[in-house]
Amino acid sequence: MSRKPEPVPHFSTEAEERTYWEHHDSADHVDWSKAAKVRLPNLKPSSTSISLRLPNSLLEQIKIAAGKRDVPYQSLIKIWLAEKVDTSTAKR
C-alpha cells in the first residue's frame, strides 16, 4: 500500500533545513511509485593517491613481473595488496 509523499517544506535558512532533516526521515518525501531501476555501469571505486618509497631493485622486480602478466605495475601492486588483505582477514 503506497501513500502520498509529504511535500518538502520551504526553509528560510540552511540551519532550519538542517534541523528539520535531523528529525525527519527523507523516505517520507519520496514517491516510490515513480522510482525506476537504473544501471550505472561506468562507476569506478573511489581511490586515494599515496606516496610509497620502494627500493629501486624491488620496483624493477615488480615492473618485470607486471610486464610478464601484461598489466601496469601499479595495478599489479594493487592486486597483490588486495590478495594479501583477503588472505589475512580470512585467517581471523
Side-chain angles (χ1 to χ4, degrees):
M1 172 160 127
S2 66
R3 60 188 177 116
K4 188 172 181 178
E6 298 175 17
V8 176
H10 174 75
F11 305 105
S12 54
T13 66
E14 186 176 324
E16 183 182 329
E17 182 176 1
R18 188 177 302 112
T19 302
Y20 178 85
W21 290 118
E22 287 174 354
H23 298 94
H24 293 82
D25 188 349
S26 61
D28 296 335
H29 302 278
V30 177
D31 184 356
W32 291 109
S33 67
K34 295 180 181 177
K37 289 186 178 184
V38 296
R39 288 181 35 98
L40 304 171
N42 296 325
L43 287 181
K44 295 181 181 176
S46 300
S47 63
T48 301
S49 179
I50 64 167
S51 177
L52 180 65
R53 296 190 185 280
L54 299 173
N56 289 338
S57 60
L58 176 58
L59 182 57
E60 287 305 314
Q61 290 174 331
I62 293 170
K63 287 181 177 182
I64 291 168
K68 289 179 181 176
R69 291 167 176 80
D70 197 30
V71 296
Y73 76 93
Q74 292 178 337
S75 297
L76 183 60
I77 292 171
K78 288 186 272 187
I79 291 167
W80 284 346
L81 287 171
E83 288 173 354
K84 182 62 176 177
V85 168
D86 286 345
T87 58
S88 295
T89 56
K91 292 179 183 177
R92 289 185 178 176

